[in-house]
Amino acid sequence: LGDELKCSTPRAQRTGSTMHWRGVYTGLAEMLSPADGQVQEKCDYDLVMPLALLFYYAVLYAPHVPPGSELLLKAASIYHSFLTWPVPYCDVFRQLLTFISDELKAPGISFQRLVRTEQGLPMKNYQSSTVTVLLLNRSEVQSDFLSIAEKLSGSEPPRHATLVLLLEHLYQGTFGTRCDLDSLHRLLKAKTLEELSEIYTSAAEAQEIAAASSDPVLARERLQCALRDIAGAAALPAMAGDVQPRRLQPIAIPPARCYTYSWDQDNFGKHRGVPV
């Protein structure tokens, strides 16, 4: 989403229960429903942005949205009515509708794009990158916050671990409990960085192609076929058969690349190549 919906990235505790996520979606959809009257009929501008953020992050962090679920479709039908609201509210819901459309065709693609952008993993034809910069006045910042900021600034997740995480998320988001995440993790972890990069590039491109399609059902079917072929070629676990009685596993977004600077550094961004 745009700047309005990217002002923060909560790292809340999450559960892998499908019923939990279904309850989150349903509750948020009902709170924004025109029939409910709490937001649209009363023109409650104070509620609409927080609820949009809650819905966005609920979907972003969901391990898997079942293909037969109507929750995203229901949300889209509700949020479409907010396009008549003034700026910036209508712009937020226009972006939210695009977000829902992409998720219907390529589950989990928003998570993938966010992590790639924050970790500096550009793909061919999808070049984008975000760098988080903390500009601090040390005399005004509490020591515990400063310690955390410096720790984040001094380390980045290894590229190998990031690619393993992205592939785990991509396959679980697409196949749900048909994906044996534990077996997938073991096999991916044994791959070299070059092998992982090749696998992920193919899988991510298949996901982007699906998101660009016009038919959500056909897009998901083709994406699943492409990901099965990629898994087979890489000797990864088969993603076939019925839904298995295993729990979905939530996958956390890794900390974004972060740089910390003090107010007294006049050469801000020069030494480390940070764009300003």
Side-chain angles (χ1 to χ4, degrees):
L1 294 177
D3 294 337
E4 298 91 344
L5 299 188
K6 285 186 176 177
C7 57
S8 63
T9 305
R11 302 290 198 269
Q13 291 290 329
R14 300 175 299 282
T15 173
S17 167
T18 302
M19 289 304 296
H20 166 77
W21 291 111
R22 185 171 299 171
V24 170
Y25 299 144
T26 303
L28 289 172
E30 288 177 351
M31 291 178 74
L32 285 172
S33 172
D36 188 277
Q38 291 187 31
V39 175
Q40 188 174 33
E41 291 184 3
K42 295 181 180 180
C43 292
D44 196 334
Y45 293 99
D46 292 335
L47 276 179
V48 69
M49 287 297 198
L51 289 173
L53 271 170
L54 284 171
F55 177 83
Y56 169 70
Y57 282 112
V59 177
L60 186 71
Y61 281 117
H64 172 68
V65 179
S69 171
E70 296 184 355
L71 294 170
L72 292 179
L73 291 174
K74 178 182 178 182
S77 66
I78 292 171
Y79 300 156
H80 190 272
S81 61
F82 285 87
L83 296 179
T84 59
W85 279 40
V87 174
Y89 305 99
C90 61
D91 292 338
V92 168
F93 282 95
R94 187 174 294 108
Q95 294 173 52
L96 202 55
L97 288 169
T98 300
F99 164 74
I100 292 173
S101 175
D102 289 344
E103 290 293 325
L104 285 169
K105 294 177 287 188
I109 192 169
S110 302
F111 180 105
Q112 296 284 321
R113 288 170 173 169
L114 176 62
V115 174
R116 284 202 305 265
T117 299
E118 291 186 340
Q119 299 301 323
L121 295 172
M123 290 175 51
K124 183 180 179 181
N125 300 326
Y126 306 102
Q127 303 286 335
S128 62
S129 181
T130 296
V131 176
T132 301
V133 179
L134 300 177
L135 188 57
L136 305 174
N137 185 337
R138 293 177 179 271
S139 64
E140 298 179 355
V141 177
Q142 295 181 358
S143 59
D144 53 349
F145 180 87
L146 187 61
S147 175
I148 294 173
E150 291 176 341
K151 184 177 180 180
L152 288 173
S153 180
S155 63
E156 293 184 11
R159 183 66 59 93
H160 188 281
T162 300
L163 290 174
V164 169
L165 178 146
L166 285 170
L167 283 165
E168 289 175 348
H169 178 274
L170 199 157
Y171 273 94
Q172 180 177 242
T174 303
F175 294 100
T177 56
R178 285 180 292 170
C179 171
D180 185 346
L181 204 61
D182 293 333
S183 297
L184 180 63
H185 176 79
R186 288 194 297 270
L187 292 172
L188 288 174
K189 195 173 180 180
K191 301 286 185 183
T192 66
L193 179 58
E194 183 179 358
E195 289 173 328
L196 281 177
S197 297
E198 183 177 347
I199 295 169
Y200 182 70
T201 297
S202 299
E205 286 182 352
Q207 195 179 46
E208 290 291 345
I209 291 171
S213 302
S214 57
D215 186 333
V217 175
L218 186 60
R220 290 181 77 133
E221 290 177 353
R222 289 177 175 174
L223 176 59
Q224 289 185 4
C225 289
L227 293 180
R228 287 193 182 101
D229 290 342
I230 293 168
L236 299 178
M239 311 288 169
D242 298 328
V243 173
Q244 300 299 311
R246 59 173 69 98
R247 286 179 62 86
L248 295 170
Q249 299 183 31
I251 297 176
I253 294 176
R257 290 183 302 162
C258 179
Y259 299 91
T260 302
Y261 286 88
S262 300
W263 282 111
D264 58 358
Q265 290 181 267
D266 294 334
N267 56 355
F268 168 62
K270 302 299 183 184
H271 292 311
R272 299 175 68 174
V274 178
V276 293

